[in-house]
Amino acid sequence: MKKLVFTFALILCGVFAAQSQSDYKTAIGLRLGVPLSVSFKQFISEPGAIEIFAGYRNYGGLVYNYGWFNAGALYEYHKPITGVEGLLVFWWGGSSLFLAL
């Protein structure tokens, strides 16, 4: 029963998320991966957006302990896919900086 409720809640959240992001200009989010990062995205024109992100990762163990900080910026160009309403493809370019600690 718990799995059924969880699956239904997940689908419901996905539907609401898809509806709420149909037309947005600014967004804050998470970049999942290594390192986990926070991102901010702002559309500056109809197809163009700028995204900045920053994150931190720390490894700790008995023999070694190190981490790194990353920050970066991207320019993204969004284009609709013909034949599929609401679906976009985007190209990006930018730079990222990693600082080992």
Side-chain angles (χ1 to χ4, degrees):
M1 184 66 178
K2 287 183 182 180
K3 289 182 182 180
L4 181 63
V5 171
F6 177 75
T7 303
F8 180 72
L10 189 63
I11 291 170
L12 194 61
C13 288
V15 168
F16 285 129
Q19 291 295 324
S20 67
Q21 292 186 7
S22 61
D23 190 26
Y24 69 98
K25 299 293 180 199
T26 304
I28 297 173
L30 291 176
R31 292 176 146 252
L32 301 178
V34 177
L36 181 66
S37 301
V38 176
S39 70
F40 174 79
K41 184 175 186 177
Q42 175 70 47
F43 278 88
I44 56 174
S45 65
E46 179 68 29
I50 293 177
E51 182 176 355
I52 57 173
F53 55 92
Y56 175 73
R57 176 69 180 194
N58 185 24
Y59 289 104
L62 296 174
V63 178
Y64 58 88
N65 187 11
Y66 69 95
W68 76 79
F69 173 79
N70 79 312
L74 299 170
Y75 175 78
E76 301 171 352
Y77 181 82
H78 298 75
K79 182 178 179 181
I81 296 177
T82 56
V84 183
E85 184 180 339
L87 189 60
L88 302 172
V89 63
F90 68 94
W91 294 270
W92 69 95
S95 111
S96 182
L97 172 71
F98 291 91
L99 177 63
L101 304 173

